[in-house]
Amino acid sequence: MTIRKEDALDYHSSPPAGKLGVVATKPCRTQRDLSLAYTPGVAVPCLEIQRDPSLLYRYTAKGNLVAVVSNGTAVLGLGNIGAGAGKPVMEGKGVLFKRFADIDVFDIELDTEDPKEVIRVCQLLEPTFGGINLEDIKAPECFEIEEELKRTMKIPVFHDDQHGTAIISGAALLNALEVAGKKIDELKVVFNGAGASGIACAEHYVRLGVKRENITLCDTKGVIYQGRTAGMNPYKERFARETAARMLAEAMRGADVFVGLSVADCVTPEMLLLMADHPIVFAMANPDPEIPYDLAVGTRPDVIMATGRSDFPNQVNNVLGFPFIFRGALDVRATTINEEMKLAATRALAALAKEDVPDSVCRAYGVERLEFGRDYLIPKPFDPRVLIWEASAVAQAALETGVAQQPVNLEQYREQLERRLGKAHEVMRAVIHKAQKQPQRVVFPEGEEPKILRACQILVDEKIARPILLGEEATIRARAAELHLHLEGVQIIEPSRFERRPLYVEELYRLRHRKGVTRREAEELVLNRNLFGSLMVHLGDADALIAGLTQHYPDTIRPALQVIKVREGLRKVSGLYLLITARGDLYFLADTTVNIEPTAEDLAEIALSAAELARRFDVEPRVALLSFSNFGSTPHPLAAKVRRAVELLHQRAPGLLVDGEMQADTAVVPEIIEQTYPFSLLKGGANVLVFPNLEAGNIAYKLLARLGGAEAIGPILTGLSKPVHVLQRGAEVNDIVNMAAIAVVDAQEATARTFADILEAWQTRFADTLAEKPKREAA
């Protein structure tokens, strides 16, 4: 990617200048807030920390704060440009820490080239920071600084220029060996570049299994061999070996792996031709690699190649390492980042690359598909799963090696990491846990679609559901093979060959013969996969149905409505979206997809169905029926309809916290309803919003999602006696998995409760509330 000079300068200079700021995490709006934030209230935690220094992590930001420390002596490819000139890089590092791992950073630029001064400053900062990230400090001083800090400090210290590249390229190496069919202990490896990154990579590869005697290290003066004195230091000396080779071209003969951390264009096509079959080439010089990607592939079609560039496959980007390594280290309060933790990071990245890649990641990189192979050896930086896989692996290694001061339950820790990805992940993880307790049979009429197949693999692997795929078995199995899916435990049904098809024909005829369907037409209609799937659910051969990936909403829902009854006690179905705001608040919006102009009776049913669903998500519903009027402020038939719905709800479900009609801001701003309308039953703001018609509901949820930045889960269909859910056209694999989990939980509860049971439960809650009222008043 080409960046114009003007664009880069504008990016950094637009107000406020730079890339980092400070955001307060506690309110400071009132005199009381001020007294708590500073004097006199601040004295209380100070004295507690004085009494017990470990409480520093409880009462301050230390546990999530990293210092990015540099003296500017080896900045990117710019060299020794000085501490101040390196500050934009350090601020950028802080942006990456925050964006990818939610870690706060202060960048600290030191105007000194004396390693002892750098060491002393870092040591003095230990009370402030949970970790130290050393950055852009030249070799060999960087080795001395890191070694001394690790020896003397009890917080993680990590020189990213050394270990970041080593960890990421190490993952690429493990997977490249699998693609090439080579063994790590037999490799002949050539390094060009013997600075911090080159030596750290070589040492890391040795720990991964490469034999030290099989490594040839080269620098600007050629091969590092035993007896060489020019340009040597103790770190290079570790890799000096007996060899007749003196120049890079000689060392490349017969090599299996070339690792470049040097300068552009130092490898020629002739050198590449000297390498062994299926050569592995990591040309990581930036911005231009040791040999251009196109030239390397054109010279050796069997080459397996990685670079430091984003415009070619297999970018070795340090952002895949340092944010997540520090995340895992900070969360268990590790005293150091040891070699086992680095190896764990490498292996976690290598393993993740073999997993199915989310559609959102493919879309972010403008490709239709990413799958493990020579062009996809390591995950992409914007893959959200890297946080969970790598940070948890690092934390586990810290626990196992005894450097963690704060033990964690790893399963709970992974869930904690998911919550950092957003409230939607947290909400859906809770639903998935419920589904896993009793997986149900979910039928997918679009069983030949690749996204459905990929989602079903996840459902089986995570034991969320027992998928049933409708389609031609040969086609499904061929596509599964293309996608490298095994689909063990997935049932495949071809409707035309299904042994129970005659029964389905008779049942469809029985249900629809007074709707104009003849027996002959029933025989044809039953081959419609949406209708066939609905009949499976109706007749008990499946527990839920998921469809709509490639079809319009009405075409998906209509067959289900023709076959599956509405729940007892209801007259209509309705559609709902769960919205999660940027602040993490949950709102259930209905009806957003089905009823165009609901009556007052319809609105009451929609509200009850939405409230029931909210409780299924472990949310206590507070229901507001919305209008353009507040409690009769505007006399109009449309407002009267909503008021009538509220009256019906108070009669049918007196235990439900519901009120209206009210305007949207009245519903969601507690101060408005509590201060302006103190008579209202609704306190604390509503979380279930029922719209007066489909127009309002559909527009509102889309605006909130697109302009308000809310995350949307849905559409969720409510009101049928058995679960049927409609996907958005073109939904992502993750969306399909989430909707299947919701369907499984629906199926678990559908057999247990009729709508009459739900009404009875609301009435019981009302009776309990009345019984408790005198006790509360007496108290």
Side-chain angles (χ1 to χ4, degrees):
M1 181 184 298
T2 302
I3 300 293
R4 294 172 62 247
K5 176 181 178 181
E6 293 79 5
D7 292 340
L9 294 176
D10 287 346
Y11 177 86
H12 286 79
S13 63
S14 59
K19 300 190 286 284
L20 293 179
V22 175
V23 176
T25 60
K26 301 295 186 294
C28 191
R29 303 186 190 93
T30 66
Q31 181 61 40
R32 182 176 184 276
D33 291 342
L34 183 59
S35 298
L36 288 169
Y38 201 54
T39 183
V42 73
V44 178
C46 290
L47 293 173
E48 287 295 294
I49 294 167
Q50 182 188 34
R51 178 181 61 80
D52 180 359
S54 70
L55 293 177
L56 192 60
Y57 286 89
R58 175 183 294 183
Y59 296 123
T60 75
K62 176 184 171 83
N64 196 52
L65 189 61
V66 167
V68 173
V69 178
S70 177
N71 63 0
T73 53
V75 178
L76 297 177
L78 305 175
N80 187 348
I81 61 174
K87 184 172 173 61
V89 177
M90 309 314 136
E91 286 189 359
K93 201 82 171 186
V95 171
L96 301 182
F97 265 110
K98 190 64 178 176
R99 164 61 181 82
F100 289 98
D102 195 25
I103 292 172
D104 297 319
V105 161
F106 286 128
D107 59 295
I108 297 173
E109 292 75 34
L110 303 177
D111 190 13
T112 179
E113 294 190 18
D114 184 345
K116 290 183 172 55
E117 290 187 331
V118 176
I119 290 167
R120 187 58 183 146
V121 169
C122 291
Q123 290 170 333
L124 292 171
L125 289 172
E126 184 166 355
T128 303
F129 294 97
I132 302 283
N133 183 100
L134 299 171
E135 192 74 19
D136 292 347
I137 300 172
K138 67 183 176 70
E141 289 89 340
C142 61
F143 301 118
E144 176 190 345
I145 292 169
E146 188 191 41
E147 287 172 3
E148 181 62 15
L149 291 178
K150 291 183 74 170
R151 188 183 68 81
T152 58
M153 297 180 75
K154 294 298 181 184
I155 59 173
V157 177
F158 184 82
H159 184 206
D160 185 47
D161 301 298
Q162 290 185 60
H163 311 299
T165 306
I167 288 164
I168 315 309
S169 68
L173 177 68
L174 294 179
N175 284 340
L177 294 180
E178 189 171 323
V179 172
K182 298 187 178 188
K183 295 181 179 180
I184 196 165
D185 59 349
E186 297 175 356
L187 291 180
K188 180 181 177 183
V189 184
V190 174
F191 281 86
N192 196 47
S197 297
I199 289 173
C201 283
E203 292 287 4
H204 192 65
Y205 288 13
V206 169
R207 285 187 284 271
L208 286 171
V210 176
K211 291 182 177 178
R212 189 178 293 270
E213 59 268 26
N214 288 349
I215 292 176
T216 301
L217 194 64
C218 302
D219 61 9
T220 54
K221 300 183 183 303
V223 173
I224 293 171
Y225 58 89
Q226 284 190 358
R228 199 185 99 170
T229 57
M232 294 295 287
N233 61 49
Y235 304 98
K236 294 180 183 180
E237 196 66 48
R238 297 175 191 167
F239 290 94
R241 55 180 296 227
E242 289 187 11
T243 175
R246 292 294 181 266
M247 301 305 293
L248 176 62
E250 301 169 65
M252 292 280 276
R253 185 177 299 277
D256 298 288
V257 180
F258 169 79
V259 181
L261 294 147
S262 51
V263 295
D265 301 322
C266 62
V267 173
T268 65
E270 291 75 20
M271 293 182 191
L272 201 59
L273 290 169
L274 294 173
M275 295 183 71
D277 291 340
H278 301 290
I280 298 167
V281 174
F282 295 165
M284 297 181 285
N286 256 325
D288 298 312
E290 283 78 2
I291 181 170
Y293 179 86
D294 293 334
L295 179 59
V297 172
T299 303
R300 290 290 299 262
D302 60 339
V303 71
I304 300 169
M305 189 163 179
T307 70
R309 295 179 58 117
S310 60
D311 47 352
F312 297 116
N314 303 317
Q315 183 192 17
V316 177
N317 189 330
N318 284 19
V319 78
L320 277 170
F322 66 86
F324 314 107
I325 292 165
F326 269 100
R327 181 76 275 156
L330 291 174
D331 288 340
V332 295
R333 214 178 295 169
T335 56
T336 187
I337 295 173
N338 59 29
E339 302 307 329
E340 290 82 0
M341 294 160 74
K342 298 171 195 171
L343 290 169
T346 288
R347 292 184 177 120
L349 289 170
L352 178 56
K354 298 174 187 176
E355 297 290 310
D356 187 64
V357 181
D359 296 322
S360 58
V361 177
C362 297
R363 192 167 58 247
Y365 288 91
V367 297
E368 194 165 312
R369 183 105 179 94
L370 288 168
E371 59 182 337
F372 177 71
R374 64 177 59 236
D375 288 337
Y376 180 70
L377 299 173
I378 45 178
K380 296 291 188 180
F382 283 101
D383 189 332
R385 300 170 303 167
V386 176
L387 173 65
I388 299 166
W389 282 62
E390 189 173 357
S392 63
V394 169
Q396 182 174 357
L399 290 167
E400 291 173 351
T401 56
V403 299
Q405 298 180 91
Q406 182 167 297
V408 296
N409 177 293
L410 286 169
E411 190 59 39
Q412 293 175 359
Y413 178 56
R414 290 186 185 97
E415 292 178 13
Q416 176 188 326
L417 291 170
E418 281 206 50
R419 288 196 290 272
R420 291 187 181 277
L421 297 177
K423 189 73 175 179
H425 287 267
E426 179 184 353
V427 169
M428 284 313 307
R429 179 50 56 185
V431 173
I432 286 169
H433 281 331
K434 288 185 179 181
Q436 289 169 328
K437 291 177 181 177
Q438 190 182 354
Q440 304 284 304
R441 299 164 300 172
V442 180
V443 60
F444 294 89
E446 297 152 301
E448 297 172 359
E449 290 296 318
K451 286 183 179 179
I452 297 292
L453 295 175
R454 291 164 56 202
C456 286
Q457 186 68 67
I458 296 170
L459 293 172
V460 170
D461 290 346
E462 296 197 16
K463 298 180 175 60
I464 297 169
R466 293 149 54 198
I468 302 169
L469 298 172
L470 302 185
E472 294 185 6
E473 183 167 2
T475 301
I476 290 172
R477 296 208 177 278
R479 287 183 180 167
E482 290 172 7
L483 296 168
H484 309 295
L485 308 174
H486 57 75
L487 296 182
E488 292 174 13
V490 175
Q491 184 180 0
I492 300 173
I493 293 176
E494 294 188 30
S496 62
R497 299 183 181 182
F498 188 52
E499 64 273 11
R500 284 167 58 83
R501 186 167 64 89
L503 173 63
Y504 284 25
V505 172
E506 288 302 316
E507 181 63 7
L508 180 60
Y509 177 66
R510 184 186 72 78
L511 292 170
R512 305 294 295 173
H513 68 275
R514 290 188 178 273
K515 302 288 185 181
V517 175
T518 66
R519 181 172 273 103
R520 181 180 294 275
E521 287 173 331
E523 289 177 353
E524 296 173 359
L525 287 171
V526 84
L527 296 177
N528 176 299
R529 291 177 187 172
N530 281 341
L531 196 53
F532 187 91
S534 300
L535 284 163
M536 289 189 74
V537 175
H538 170 65
L539 292 169
D541 291 328
D543 302 303
L545 178 143
I546 301 287
L549 181 68
T550 60
Q551 304 164 73
H552 291 290
Y553 192 93
D555 297 333
T556 306
I557 196 174
R558 192 178 298 113
L561 296 176
Q562 291 171 352
V563 171
I564 298 173
K565 296 178 182 178
V566 174
R567 290 181 73 171
E568 184 180 339
L570 289 177
R571 298 176 300 110
K572 290 187 176 180
V573 300
S574 56
L576 175 150
Y577 269 88
L578 167 57
L579 289 188
I580 302 164
T581 69
R583 295 183 306 179
D585 299 321
L586 273 65
Y587 292 95
F588 298 81
L589 277 62
D591 178 359
T592 53
T593 57
V594 179
N595 296 285
I596 296 175
E597 195 61 63
T599 65
E601 290 75 13
D602 295 337
L603 288 175
E605 288 189 3
I606 291 167
L608 286 167
S609 296
E612 181 206 357
L613 186 78
R615 296 198 74 190
R616 200 170 294 167
F617 278 85
D618 298 323
V619 173
E620 191 62 29
R622 301 188 301 274
V623 185
L625 275 74
L626 303 181
S627 177
F628 53 83
S629 170
N630 276 319
F631 303 104
S633 64
T634 307
H636 192 279
L638 292 178
K641 176 184 76 170
V642 179
R643 276 199 304 278
R644 175 58 182 157
V646 174
E647 292 171 4
L648 292 171
L649 285 165
H650 288 165
Q651 294 167 14
R652 297 179 67 183
L656 178 62
L657 188 60
V658 56
D659 215 337
E661 88 286 12
M662 68 181 74
Q663 295 175 2
D665 57 346
T666 303
V668 299
V669 181
E671 291 82 4
I672 295 178
I673 197 164
E674 291 171 8
Q675 295 173 15
T676 310
Y677 308 101
F679 57 83
S680 173
L681 303 174
L682 199 63
K683 307 299 181 187
N687 51 27
V688 176
L689 306 177
V690 179
F691 291 84
N693 57 33
L694 183 62
E695 212 169 19
N698 191 271
I699 290 169
Y701 101 78
K702 289 185 176 178
L703 283 176
L704 283 168
R706 296 294 182 180
L707 301 183
E711 298 177 84
I713 297 174
I716 303 171
L717 199 62
T718 63
L720 285 175
S721 58
K722 295 188 177 182
V724 173
H725 289 299
V726 182
L727 300 167
Q728 288 187 321
R729 290 188 74 188
E732 296 184 4
V733 170
N734 196 51
D735 297 327
I736 300 169
V737 171
N738 288 344
M739 198 57 66
I742 292 171
V744 168
V745 174
D746 280 351
Q748 290 170 349
E749 300 188 7
T751 55
R753 306 175 78 197
T754 65
F755 206 73
D757 296 327
I758 294 159
L759 284 176
E760 184 179 345
W762 290 121
Q763 290 160 1
T764 301
R765 287 171 62 82
F766 179 61
D768 292 343
T769 302
L770 287 179
E772 288 294 319
K773 186 176 180 181
K775 298 177 184 177
R776 290 198 303 271
E777 289 175 348

